[in-house]
Amino acid sequence: MAFQAIWVLVGVFVCSTCVKGSSQPQARVYLTFDELRETKTSEYFSLTHHPLDYRILLMDEDQDRIYVGSKDHILSLNINNISQEPLSVFWPASAIKVEECKMAGKDPTHGCGNFVRVIQAFNRTHLYVCGSGAFSPVCTYLNRGRRSEDQVFMIDSKCESGKGRCSFNPNVNTVSVMINEELFSAMYIDFMGTDAAIFRSLTKRNAVRTDQHNSKWLSEPMFVDAHVIPDGTDPNDAKVYFFFKEKLTDNSRSTKQIHSMIARICPNDTGGLRSLVNKWTTFLKARLVCSVTDEDGPETHFDELEDVFLLETDNPRTTLVYGIFTTSSSVFKGSAVCVYHLSDIQTVFNGPFAHKEGPNHQLISYQGRIPYPRPGTCPGGAFTPNMRTTKEFPDDVVTFIRNHPLMYNSIYPIHRRPLIVRTGTDYKYTKIAVDRVNAADGRYHVLFLGTDRGTVQKVVVLPSNSSASGELILEELEVFKNHAPITTMKISSKKQQLYVSSNEGLSQVSLHRCHIYGTACADCCLARDPYCAWDGHACSRFYPTGKRQQEHRSRMGTMNTFKTLMTMLYPLEW
Ligand SMILES: *[C@@H]1O[C@H](CO)[C@@H](O)[C@H](O)[C@H]1NC(C)=O
Ligand SMILES: *[C@@H]1O[C@H](CO)[C@@H](O)[C@H](O)[C@H]1NC(C)=O
Ligand SMILES: *[C@@H]1O[C@H](CO)[C@@H](O)[C@H](O)[C@H]1NC(C)=O
Ligand SMILES: *[C@@H]1O[C@H](CO)[C@@H](O)[C@H](O)[C@H]1NC(C)=O
């Protein structure tokens, strides 16, 4: 117990010297691109000197590869060292399509190429890939072999239309998940970019989509991410969650507000029988809030969701959802990290439905009768064991969901406030990944935050009851030389590596570089990096018992040295 208390004291000590009272804290260690290279804990890859938009990443930890989708290319890189020679497939748009695209007045460099936007594992041997195909989306199967030793990476089937699978415009996000060889995509389904949809395709059943041009369902959405998330113990109750923001016209119809949203559907939804034919009959959505209320001032909303990271635990109900938000305010530039309990999200979906009433179309909580099965329930799940498909749903369920897709309550973050806020900074956060670390004094969540200036900040949030800013930027790393904004981030806890992409290229950085904190025991301990501990000789990676023995290091040595240091700093407590 005493041991833990000391850590908190050290935290306060460190914080008061570098963090307190500022929303612009500095990193303890800042490494430029070249300094980072010198630590030998990073690798860099780019195919050419031209920007190729490397934003799609799919990790394959079984085959030790990372797949990259860029303009006209799909790459397979060694997950242990991305600098090594890649396997690659050149997959341009056809010359005719590129010509048509230019004739239609689209941007030749940023529009009229085949920008790969979908890479999903299809089966044991094949990936399913889609690209924007010069405003004429295309998809195909890509053979990556059964094992990485096979060194197979090739398209071995015909291309098919990517309509309903990938946006025409590469600057409009496409997000997707693959479940049992069926593709669920959220994108814009038409050339003009006015028809947004969440679509199930690549299916032996009927294709299903959101109600067309129905702004109650989707209103000029910008899609951010999609995940399959279990709900209870019955696998048939699992749902696909789509994270997005949308533009809403307010009642005066003069201004447009941006709201961040979560929508969800049941993957086995096959649409209604009489109405909502081939449309989702389980589509519900709720607003995701990330805001700060000043004691005497107004609420500052971080309206624009930029990225989502799911930190999964053994128990799905305790999963944490991390979101990066920015402001749409023209007055100041800011970004925030908000964290949500998955159980809180599910509670909102199980709560009251929103209903528009009165001359002002005010949103109120729906008080009428709710049909059975409760709208949004999955067929064949724990609550509808005798309804195998949505076609068996009663008409009133289908009608209800068509008119009431929105939940009345909004989803609020843990403690109703952001975990991290940055205002008045000259950068914004764009992407997030989170790792759970077993440190000498307990478990920590370490946040890796990508910025729009080509850096990654490694942040640890200290347990602190008194202030919301118990956070410490351990490192800020320039992962891109030219400060290109970070577009995608993937983390492998297994490999202890972070993979970061930008328009320019791809970087791989180790989650830790303990030696940079210095050569003395005090430097190491005061750094507060949960990955690191003093091992008697140097600041090095700390492994909890079992693993540490594999590393042939003595944990007791560390603890004793640490205790000695603590005794020096805080004699009374020890
Ligand atoms: C990664 O691969 C590159 C190119 O083969 C090589 O120069 C570099 O030393 C490798 N890095 C490590 C850590 O082995
Ligand atoms: C995977 O799917 C592809 C494309 O349909 C097919 O050609 C291949 O045989 C499948 N592989 C396995 C192992 O089922
Ligand atoms: C969908 O239905 C099939 C057949 O009833 C079932 O095997 C599968 O588990 C269901 N999948 C989901 C995600 O509910
Ligand atoms: C923080 O609050 C929790 C619960 O209220 C308490 O158990 C814990 O001891 C507090 N920690 C500190 C450092 O005050």
Side-chain angles (χ1 to χ4, degrees), residues 29 31 36 39-43 59 61 79-80 309 311 432-438 444-450 456-460 472-477 479 489-500 507-517 527-533 539-543 547:
V29 173
L31 296 182
L36 178 61
T39 66
K40 304 219 183 305
T41 56
S42 74
E43 298 292 342
M59 283 197 301
E61 289 177 325
I79 203 169
N80 298 309
F309 184 87
L311 189 66
I432 182 167
V434 183
D435 191 26
R436 216 186 316 252
V437 188
N438 288 315
Y444 286 86
H445 293 174
V446 178
L447 279 55
F448 295 88
L449 300 165
V456 172
Q457 291 183 356
K458 174 169 148 187
V459 175
V460 63
L472 201 55
I473 306 177
L474 300 167
E475 301 180 280
E476 181 159 5
L477 311 171
V479 289
M489 218 150 65
K490 296 281 173 195
I491 191 168
S492 170
S493 291
K494 184 177 158 194
K495 299 284 177 191
Q496 296 278 293
Q497 300 288 315
L498 187 72
Y499 304 89
V500 191
S507 266
Q508 166 189 359
V509 286
S510 170
L511 302 183
H512 41 77
R513 303 139 271 292
C514 298
H515 61 278
I516 60 166
Y517 294 119
R528 296 283 278 122
D529 187 326
Y531 290 103
C532 306
C539 197
S540 63
R541 175 76 173 106
F542 170 80
Y543 294 94
K547 268 191 183 167

Side-chain angles (χ1 to χ4, degrees), residues 235-511:
N236 277 352
D237 283 326
K239 297 176 181 72
V240 189
Y241 284 73
F242 293 89
F243 299 84
F244 59 104
K245 42 197 167 176
E246 56 184 2
K247 279 189 195 153
L248 304 168
T249 315
D250 71 0
N251 287 339
S252 63
R253 305 209 166 266
S254 52
T255 53
K256 285 199 172 176
Q257 257 191 319
I258 293 183
H259 282 182
S260 294
M261 309 294 295
I262 302 181
R264 65 180 208 187
I265 48 122
C266 299
N268 269 348
D269 190 338
T270 48
L273 189 62
R274 273 175 285 273
S275 68
L276 291 183
V277 177
N278 296 331
K279 311 269 173 67
W280 303 112
T281 58
T282 56
F283 176 91
L284 292 177
K285 65 176 184 180
R287 184 174 174 195
L288 192 60
V289 175
C290 180
S291 64
V292 189
T293 316
D294 283 338
E295 268 155 37
D296 47 350
E299 211 173 351
T300 306
H301 275 279
F302 295 89
D303 287 323
E304 301 216 27
L305 181 66
E306 304 293 341
D307 194 27
V308 169
F309 184 87
L310 259 58
L311 189 66
E312 287 167 10
T313 54
D314 297 335
N315 175 2
R317 277 194 70 78
T318 56
T319 294
L320 294 176
V321 178
Y322 283 80
I324 295 274
F325 295 81
T326 56
T327 56
S328 47
S329 153
S330 50
V331 184
F332 75 101
K333 188 170 176 175
S335 42
V337 179
C338 275
V339 192
Y340 305 84
H341 283 300
L342 178 61
S343 54
D344 289 344
I345 296 174
Q346 288 169 336
T347 299
V348 167
F349 281 105
N350 293 332
F353 295 91
H355 183 70
K356 274 196 178 157
E357 205 171 78
N360 297 329
H361 300 288
Q362 218 170 338
L363 275 184
I364 58 159
S365 167
Y366 180 78
Q367 298 296 334
R369 193 189 74 88
I370 292 169
Y372 175 86
R374 187 188 150 89
T377 308
C378 293
F383 305 99
T384 49
N386 42 18
M387 286 181 208
R388 301 301 306 173
T389 94
T390 52
K391 296 215 162 71
E392 294 170 35
F393 281 172
D395 287 344
D396 58 351
V397 171
V398 178
T399 311
F400 186 93
I401 214 150
R402 170 175 230 154
N403 297 320
H404 301 95
L406 177 66
M407 305 316 301
Y408 177 68
N409 291 323
S410 297
I411 302 161
Y412 287 92
I414 296 173
H415 301 315
R416 286 216 161 210
R417 59 164 189 250
L419 183 68
I420 292 173
V421 173
R422 294 280 180 272
T423 53
T425 50
D426 52 3
Y427 63 87
K428 279 191 194 183
Y429 291 134
T430 58
K431 294 288 151 182
I432 182 167
V434 183
D435 191 26
R436 216 186 316 252
V437 188
N438 288 315
D441 62 331
R443 299 191 102 187
Y444 286 86
H445 293 174
V446 178
L447 279 55
F448 295 88
L449 300 165
T451 69
D452 62 354
R453 61 172 177 186
T455 62
V456 172
Q457 291 183 356
K458 174 169 148 187
V459 175
V460 63
V461 179
L462 304 167
S464 155
N465 292 2
S466 52
S467 107
S469 65
E471 51 145 323
L472 201 55
I473 306 177
L474 300 167
E475 301 180 280
E476 181 159 5
L477 311 171
E478 276 180 14
V479 289
F480 296 111
K481 199 165 196 159
N482 52 9
H483 305 287
I486 282 157
T487 54
T488 313
M489 218 150 65
K490 296 281 173 195
I491 191 168
S492 170
S493 291
K494 184 177 158 194
K495 299 284 177 191
Q496 296 278 293
Q497 300 288 315
L498 187 72
Y499 304 89
V500 191
S501 60
S502 71
N503 203 6
E504 311 287 331
L506 197 66
S507 266
Q508 166 189 359
V509 286
S510 170
L511 302 183

Side-chain angles (χ1 to χ4, degrees), residues 30-150:
Y30 188 100
L31 296 182
T32 63
F33 187 78
D34 292 330
E35 286 165 348
L36 178 61
R37 293 304 301 244
E38 277 166 30
T39 66
K40 304 219 183 305
T41 56
S42 74
E43 298 292 342
Y44 178 78
F45 174 85
S46 78
L47 203 56
T48 66
H49 293 297
H50 316 291
L52 277 185
D53 191 343
Y54 299 85
R55 83 174 70 173
I56 302 298
L57 299 181
L58 177 70
M59 283 197 301
D60 181 349
E61 289 177 325
D62 296 330
Q63 287 207 4
D64 265 8
R65 308 300 293 184
I66 182 160
Y67 307 115
V68 185
S70 67
K71 184 188 179 189
D72 301 336
H73 298 269
I74 307 164
L75 309 162
S76 167
L77 304 176
N78 183 339
I79 203 169
N80 298 309
N81 183 350
I82 62 164
S83 308
Q84 284 174 8
E85 196 59 34
L87 298 171
S88 79
V89 166
F90 180 52
W91 191 37
S94 74
I96 297 168
K97 294 291 180 196
V98 172
E99 219 32 58
E100 284 173 6
C101 180
K102 288 181 186 162
M103 296 282 283
K106 303 295 181 190
D107 183 329
T109 40
H110 301 105
C112 299
N114 189 24
F115 291 84
V116 177
R117 290 294 183 257
V118 174
I119 302 183
Q120 294 289 344
F122 181 70
N123 61 20
R124 283 202 51 201
T125 51
H126 284 67
L127 303 173
Y128 192 71
V129 294
C130 302
S132 63
F135 274 77
S136 177
V138 284
C139 297
T140 192
Y141 299 89
L142 196 157
N143 190 346
R144 45 121 185 222
R146 217 170 264 276
R147 299 176 309 262
S148 64
E149 304 87 87
D150 296 348

